[in-house]
């Protein structure tokens, strides 16, 4: 395959970009460090005094030695609730357990006792959704106090609230996806159903408890006074109720038992893959920050990014002389085939048609799709409308929606307006969506939003006697709103993505995602390719 030749010059502009981007990476790493501390030193110490292990150490002990753990949405709930719910109180991600890729969902009891906030539920459900789509067994490391009662109206009653996680758990078990729980702490109310609905359950003696209503609820409901261990301790549930299948004397024994359970699943071996030996890019991924920079108004050639992401920097570009603002082509990442769609400017009709055609090719050939978003949107104006931009952009959107192959999205710059849709944004349900620290996502950029709002309001404000000072104040307020709400941290806190990743990590992260897809049985081709 052709190799991309770089034209990057490591001059002052490159060094400035790299320096500014280094500040973004330092901020990202510091925030990841902060959330990894959970509820803080005091609560972590109390946790350990009870013989319990911090949540990320539990995961380290569970996954295969020297294997990666791809954590999802580590900055969920960042900046919300007075920053008192780091990572939304739950750690989710994909890791290898006894040679089987598994979805791991683990409560952090140092954060509000492992209670569920709105973002906790959303993160839990998102992990189950990924497991369902990628056909992964689910392992729940349960230490959960149920719903956080002051948030009950945002946690309990709706379709995508706490009950939805139990619904998903039942459906996954029915679909043959193992549901396995280890109980390390008190599981009360809704938290009790996570192990109760699991296929197999391990409980830790002395700390693990399961009860639909804890001692205070029992006393209030039926005036019975009982201690937590008698009511729902590990020994009772393992020897009397049968809710638990295995009794472990400590947490490490419980985690070892989970590994034994997974080893005995008789889980299908990987299907025949089209993988080839992985080859590092010829160009250094560490150069990406110097190419991209932090100023979204400064253009760069997205081929330079692709060349530092794909195997051997090889890229078979599709229709290179047509619709040039959308770069499409075939490549390999960590030995797995992938079709890439990447923005090199605003999307014109030709680019939309080219993208739709390329997606059809990948769908027919069973090649997963990777979207690299840096897009202001589709072209507007009289010429664009007369040229049919509405119907041609709709063709791209339709192709994105109906592609049967796995789709992955990385926001590497701006993601604005309908361009977000045409490039497989969150609403189009890519298997995974990640952002870079320089990313921005909104209906439009802050400057454009300020202009649109003030133009719409100018006539009415003027009729009401308002002057330019009030119009300018409106523009500044709008710009400030869009600046705040379009940052990657605002987005990831609300789980609009699956996490912020560093540019030089993107190749490895997408490689892990593609490896999961390679285990699936290939879909037969069912439709021809219609040239647009």
């Amino acid at each position: 395959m052709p190799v991309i030749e770089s034209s990057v010059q490591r001059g002052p502009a490159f060094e400035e970009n790299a320096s500014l981007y280094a500040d973004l990476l330092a901020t990202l790493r510091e925030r990841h460090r902060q959330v990894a501390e959970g509820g803080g030193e005091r609560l972590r110490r109390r946790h350990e005094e009870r013989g319990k292990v911090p949540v990320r150490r539990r995961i380290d002990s569970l996954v295969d030695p020297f294997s990666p753990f791809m954590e999802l949405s580590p900055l969920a709930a960042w900046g919300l609730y007075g920053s008192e719910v780091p990572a939304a109180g739950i750690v989710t991600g994909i890791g290898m357990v006894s040679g089987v890729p598994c979805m791991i969902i683990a409560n952090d009891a140092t954060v509000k006792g492992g209670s569920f906030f709105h973002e906790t539920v959303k993160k839990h459900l998102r992990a189950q959704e990924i497991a369902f789509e990628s056909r992964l067994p689910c392992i729940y490391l349960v230490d959960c106090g149920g719903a956080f009662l002051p948030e009950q109206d945002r946690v309990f009653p709706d379709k995508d609230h706490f009950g939805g996680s139990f619904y998903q758990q039942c459906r996954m078990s029915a679909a043959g996806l193992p549901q396995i729980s280890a109980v390390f702490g008190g599981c009360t109310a809704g938290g009790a159903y996570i192990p109760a609905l699991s296929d197999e359950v391990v409980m830790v003696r002395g700390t693990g408890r399961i009860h639909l209503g804890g001692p205070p609820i029992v006393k209030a409901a039926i005036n019975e006074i009982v201690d937590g261990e008698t009511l729902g301790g590990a020994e009772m549930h393992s020897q009397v109720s049968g809710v638990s299948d295995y009794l472990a004397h400590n947490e490490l024994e419980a985690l070892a038992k989970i590994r034994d359970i997974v080893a005995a699943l008789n889980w299908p071996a990987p299907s025949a893959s089209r993988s080839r030996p992985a080859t590092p890019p010829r160009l250094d991924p560490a150069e990406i920050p110097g190419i991209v920079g932090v100023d979204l108004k400064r253009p760069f050639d997205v081929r330079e990014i692709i060349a530092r992401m794909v195997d051997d920097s090889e890229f078979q570009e599709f229709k290179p002389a047509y619709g040039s603002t959308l770069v499409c082509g075939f490549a390999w990442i960590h030995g797995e085939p992938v079709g890439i769609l990447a923005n090199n400017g605003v999307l014109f009709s030709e680019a939309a048609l080219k993208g739709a055609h390329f997606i059809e090719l990948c769908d027919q050939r069973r090649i997963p799709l990777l979207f690299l978003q840096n897009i202001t949107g589709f072209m507007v104006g009289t010429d664009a409308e007369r040229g049919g931009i509405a119907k041609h952009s709709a063709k791209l959107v339709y192709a994105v929606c109906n592609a049967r192959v796995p789709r992955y999205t990385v926001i590497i710059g701006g993601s604005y307006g309908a361009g977000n849709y045409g490039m497989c944004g969150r609403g189009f349900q890519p298997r995974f969506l990640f952002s870079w620290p320089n990313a921005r996502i909104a209906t439009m950029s802050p400057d454009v939003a300020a202009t649109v709002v003030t133009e719409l309001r100018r006539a009415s404000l003027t009729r009401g006697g308002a002057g330019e000072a009030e119009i300018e104040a409106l523009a500044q307020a709008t710009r400030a709103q869009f600046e705040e709400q379009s940052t990657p941290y605002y987005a990831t806190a609300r789980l609009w993505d699956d996490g912020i990743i560093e540019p030089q990590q993107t190749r490895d992260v997408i490689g892990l995602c593609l490896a999961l897809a390679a285990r699936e049985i290939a879909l037969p081709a069912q439709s021809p390719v219609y040239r647009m």
Side-chain angles (χ1 to χ4, degrees), residues 137-159:
C138 276
I139 298 173
Y140 304 90
L141 306 184
V142 194
D143 204 343
C144 171
F148 185 67
L149 294 182
E151 282 273 297
Q152 71 88 24
D153 64 321
R154 302 179 68 226
V155 172
F156 173 69
D158 207 353
K159 178 174 74 75

Side-chain angles (χ1 to χ4, degrees), residues 204-273:
V204 179
R205 184 197 302 269
T207 57
R209 293 177 184 172
I210 298 174
H211 28 57
L212 295 184
I217 295 177
V218 171
K219 182 179 179 181
I222 62 174
N223 202 31
E224 178 185 345
I225 298 176
V226 62
D227 64 273
E229 191 66 24
T230 302
L231 181 64
E235 290 190 57
M236 189 281 289
H237 279 307
S238 298
Q239 299 170 4
V240 180
S241 75
V243 171
S244 170
D245 303 302
Y246 308 96
L247 178 64
H249 295 282
N250 55 55
E251 293 201 4
L252 292 180
E253 183 181 334
L255 294 168
K257 176 54 68 176
I258 292 293
R259 290 183 53 82
D260 291 342
I261 292 170
V262 175
L265 287 178
N266 189 30
W267 198 246
S271 59
S273 173

Side-chain angles (χ1 to χ4, degrees), residues 112-193:
K112 303 295 184 182
S115 298
F116 274 67
F117 290 71
H118 176 73
E119 290 74 19
T120 317
V121 173
K122 195 171 182 179
K123 186 171 175 179
H124 187 110
L125 284 168
R126 174 62 182 149
Q128 291 179 308
E129 179 184 18
I130 291 170
F132 212 151
E133 194 168 34
S134 300
R135 296 202 57 78
L136 301 175
C138 276
I139 298 173
Y140 304 90
L141 306 184
V142 194
D143 204 343
C144 171
F148 185 67
L149 294 182
E151 282 273 297
Q152 71 88 24
D153 64 321
R154 302 179 68 226
V155 172
F156 173 69
D158 207 353
K159 178 174 74 75
D160 291 325
H161 286 178
F162 206 179
S165 67
F166 309 140
Y167 174 74
Q168 287 284 66
Q169 198 171 336
C170 294
R171 292 186 66 231
M172 283 193 286
S173 182
L177 300 177
Q179 307 293 296
I180 304 163
S181 286
V183 178
F184 300 101
C187 301
T188 304
Y193 279 106

Side-chain angles (χ1 to χ4, degrees), residues 133-135 268-274 366 404-406 431 515-525:
E133 194 168 34
S134 300
R135 296 202 57 78
S271 59
S273 173
R274 299 149 293 169
R366 301 184 294 278
R404 296 165 298 149
V405 293
R431 294 231 177 157
L516 290 174
R519 300 173 65 91
E520 301 172 16
I521 298 173
L523 294 170

Side-chain angles (χ1 to χ4, degrees), residues 285-315:
E287 294 179 331
I288 294 176
I291 297 168
V292 174
V294 300
D295 184 358
L296 297 186
K297 296 178 182 178
R298 183 179 295 178
F300 59 86
D301 187 349
V302 76
R303 295 176 185 84
E304 298 284 359
I305 309 305
I306 296 170
R308 289 160 175 81
M309 190 181 298
V310 301
D311 289 4
D312 204 30
S313 300
E314 292 182 340
F315 185 62

